Amino acid sequence: MLEKKRNKRDNYMIGGKSRRGRARARMSRLTPIQVIITFYFLSITFATALLSMPFTQKPGVKIPFIDTLFTAASSVSVTGLASVNVGESYSRAGIWVLMGIFQVGGLGVMMLSTFFYLVLKRRVGLRQRQLIMTDTNQFSMSGMVRMLREILVLIFGIQIIGGLILGIYFIPFYNGDVGEAMFQGLFNSVSAVTNAGVDITGYSLTPFVNDYFVQFITILLIIAGGIGFPVLIEARRFLFEKNTLIPFRFSLFVKVTTVTYMALLVIGGLLIWAMESQHYFKGTSIDEGFFNSMFLSATSRSAGLSTIDTSALTDPTLLVVSALMFIGASPSSVGGGIRTTTFAITILFLYSVMRGRNHIYIFGRELYQEDVRKALAVAVFATLLCVGAITILGYTEQAELMAIIVEVFSAFGTCGLSMGLTADLSHFGKIIIILLMFIGRVGIMYMMLSFRTKDGKKNAIRLPKEKIITG
């Protein structure tokens, strides 16, 4: 009997080792991009399982599986669209779980997994560094662990400081309940910095439509999460690590993404303000219209928090908001969309064609043709994807076209703004939005490159060239 048990145990261990070996072999055949996408898919699966557990839901609340999956995908992709009322459906423990999922989705699966490696004082291997480099859109593995530490300290530090500021400010709003005020402040800070945009009060930030302090702090938190981790790192080094012998020079990426991000923020806000001055903001003060327009411009980039009723805006304004959501945040940030650099390169490409130039120049540098090709591919693929989704949902959903347009661009841009359509989507419609949120978070370029095999060969054959009529 003992011999049989021993043999059974040995066979189980051998089988377990062989299964682990096969799993490792399969993973080794995947490209880093395929590994990243797999981890994000597994994160949504794990988040769905967590949010299905009784302790995360309020007593007596029964959430359908499709809505649990939708909430998990929205949280991992830090979108903020919700098919159920989060505050009324999930317990306090569930809200803490959601905040943890925001961190995973916002900072990136590989970044947080490496954080635990560092906490446990385990060595970060070459494979792990390569995955971090891919997940954070970096070009080199040099200094990867140091960069990771900087990002985590900056993001967590900003979240805590923002939570303290908002929490202290919220104390009078919660009748002196310090604990509840601090919790709400922390949740709003995490939701803003990760650009999750999830609301647990049912009103988002509409009670603060005339509170410009809350709006200003929230805008800063949204920018901190969406402008890009490299921008935060270089800004910190410029302020605190200046070398008097070697002049500090910002990288081209930081220059392009900062200028583009801020230009879109200001131009978008002014456009919204101008178009709604005789509609939504008619009869309001100048400062109320200006601040709420700037807040909408900021939150449209990927955050999803709102101070005004989006469904009450005019169609031209909603198209501007949809365009901002489509562009999204910067690369190497918590946001989605085609990203600011893709938009900037596309505009520069159009300008260079109009001027008859063969190359693109900006800030005294010439862009690589490969980067231009990638940007154009992302812009075209994303446009086709969103137009296709709008067409499909136009047939499957009983809703106005503008509501569908806003929903699609909000999902792809991982924003979270909606005209109230999310809860009324059909099961098929929710699946389409889930796919858009997933693709928007992972990135169009990664989705395209995921079809490449690890040993895929580039075209070695060159064929004769021939002109073709265009335009």
Side-chain angles (χ1 to χ4, degrees):
M1 181 65 73
L2 291 174
E3 187 66 25
K4 286 182 178 179
K5 288 184 178 179
R6 190 179 296 112
N7 291 336
K8 186 176 180 180
R9 182 191 64 193
D10 293 342
N11 290 335
Y12 174 79
M13 292 177 67
I14 292 171
K17 288 181 180 178
S18 63
R19 282 193 293 272
R20 287 195 295 272
R22 286 196 296 271
R24 288 197 185 105
R26 291 193 195 98
M27 292 294 285
S28 65
R29 288 195 292 269
L30 298 176
T31 64
I33 291 174
Q34 290 170 336
V35 172
I36 296 296
I37 293 175
T38 301
F39 275 122
Y40 274 106
F41 176 78
L42 293 175
S43 297
I44 292 176
T45 304
F46 183 65
T48 304
L50 269 179
L51 294 175
S52 299
M53 293 185 177
F55 78 92
T56 63
Q57 301 175 8
K58 286 189 173 180
V61 174
K62 181 66 176 177
I63 304 175
F65 173 77
I66 186 66
D67 292 315
T68 302
L69 175 63
F70 192 96
T71 304
S74 180
S75 300
V76 172
S77 63
V78 286
T79 301
L81 290 173
S83 56
V84 297
N85 188 307
V86 175
E88 294 178 359
S89 303
Y90 292 99
S91 63
R92 182 56 59 93
I95 301 300
W96 281 106
V97 169
L98 283 173
M99 279 198 282
I101 298 173
F102 298 162
Q103 304 289 10
V104 173
L107 293 172
V109 177
M110 299 314 305
M111 190 183 297
L112 283 183
S113 65
T114 307
F115 168 70
F116 289 110
Y117 267 72
L118 297 175
V119 170
L120 298 173
K121 296 183 178 180
R122 294 180 61 181
R123 181 177 173 272
V124 181
L126 182 64
R127 176 71 167 172
Q128 186 78 1
R129 292 170 188 263
Q130 187 179 23
L131 291 174
I132 300 170
M133 183 185 73
T134 304
D135 198 23
T136 53
N137 287 303
Q138 298 302 306
F139 306 111
S140 171
M141 285 188 287
S142 176
M144 190 60 61
V145 175
R146 184 196 173 196
M147 183 202 71
L148 172 66
R149 288 196 187 99
E150 284 188 86
I151 293 173
L152 292 172
V153 169
L154 282 169
I155 294 299
F156 288 146
I158 292 170
Q159 289 179 9
I160 292 170
I161 293 171
L164 286 172
I165 294 172
L166 292 176
I168 294 171
Y169 189 80
F170 285 164
I171 291 176
F173 293 92
Y174 291 94
N175 300 318
D177 188 342
V178 178
E180 183 64 22
M182 297 305 293
F183 174 78
Q184 292 290 340
L186 179 63
F187 184 87
N188 277 278
S189 178
V190 172
S191 185
V193 174
T194 61
N195 283 196
V198 173
D199 164 47
I200 58 175
T201 64
Y203 304 101
S204 193
L205 292 179
T206 52
F208 303 98
V209 64
N210 293 314
D211 194 322
Y212 308 138
F213 177 79
V214 172
Q215 290 186 34
F216 179 70
I217 295 297
T218 306
I219 288 174
L220 292 180
L221 295 175
I222 291 170
I223 293 173
I227 201 169
F229 303 139
V231 177
L232 298 179
I233 290 175
E234 290 195 22
R236 190 196 69 80
R237 291 176 181 174
F238 174 75
L239 294 173
F240 302 109
E241 295 183 8
K242 283 186 178 179
N243 189 327
T244 55
L245 298 178
I246 305 175
F248 186 90
R249 188 180 71 85
F250 286 103
S251 65
L252 181 62
F253 169 82
V254 169
K255 292 176 182 178
V256 172
T257 194
T258 303
V259 170
T260 307
Y261 191 99
M262 292 304 177
L264 288 170
L265 173 66
V266 174
I267 294 172
L270 293 177
L271 278 174
I272 294 169
W273 187 26
M275 289 190 293
E276 292 298 325
S277 61
Q278 297 302 315
H279 298 281
Y280 192 93
F281 298 125
K282 188 176 182 179
T284 63
S285 61
I286 294 177
D287 56 338
E288 181 178 341
F290 175 77
F291 268 95
N292 283 280
S293 297
M294 295 305 297
F295 187 91
L296 180 57
S297 178
T299 196
S300 297
R301 306 301 300 285
S302 194
L305 296 168
S306 60
T307 59
I308 59 178
D309 182 8
T310 308
S311 61
L313 300 173
T314 59
D315 286 354
T317 302
L318 290 172
L319 287 175
V320 170
V321 170
S322 297
L324 292 174
M325 292 190 292
F326 179 72
I327 296 169
S330 300
S332 298
S333 73
V334 300
I338 62 171
R339 311 306 203 272
T340 51
T341 49
T342 299
F343 174 74
I345 292 174
T346 303
I347 297 300
L348 289 170
F349 171 78
L350 294 175
Y351 177 77
S352 66
V353 170
M354 288 189 294
R355 295 297 300 270
R357 296 174 180 173
N358 294 324
H359 304 284
I360 297 176
Y361 306 102
I362 184 170
F363 293 118
R365 294 290 186 271
E366 179 184 332
L367 299 183
Y368 283 101
Q369 291 300 312
E370 181 184 3
D371 293 333
V372 177
R373 287 175 55 248
K374 286 181 179 179
L376 295 176
V378 167
V380 172
F381 192 94
T383 301
L384 295 175
L385 178 71
C386 291
V387 170
I390 291 169
T391 305
I392 293 171
L393 292 178
Y395 278 102
T396 63
E397 309 305 313
Q398 299 297 321
E400 295 180 0
L401 180 60
M402 185 53 67
I404 293 174
I405 291 173
V406 171
E407 198 79 11
V408 166
F409 284 117
S410 179
F412 174 73
T414 68
C415 177
L417 292 178
S418 176
M419 294 178 65
L421 176 61
T422 312
D424 298 326
L425 288 169
S426 63
H427 285 4
F428 182 77
K430 289 177 182 176
I431 291 172
I432 294 294
I433 295 299
I434 287 171
L435 291 175
L436 285 171
M437 292 189 294
F438 182 81
I439 294 172
R441 178 63 189 97
V442 173
I444 287 288
M445 181 54 64
Y446 279 7
M447 292 304 299
M448 290 192 293
L449 295 180
S450 66
F451 294 101
R452 292 184 181 179
T453 57
K454 196 170 185 178
D455 55 351
K457 296 179 180 179
K458 295 183 178 180
N459 292 339
I461 301 174
R462 300 296 299 272
L463 298 177
K465 296 180 180 179
E466 184 173 346
K467 288 277 189 179
I468 187 169
I469 300 172
T470 58

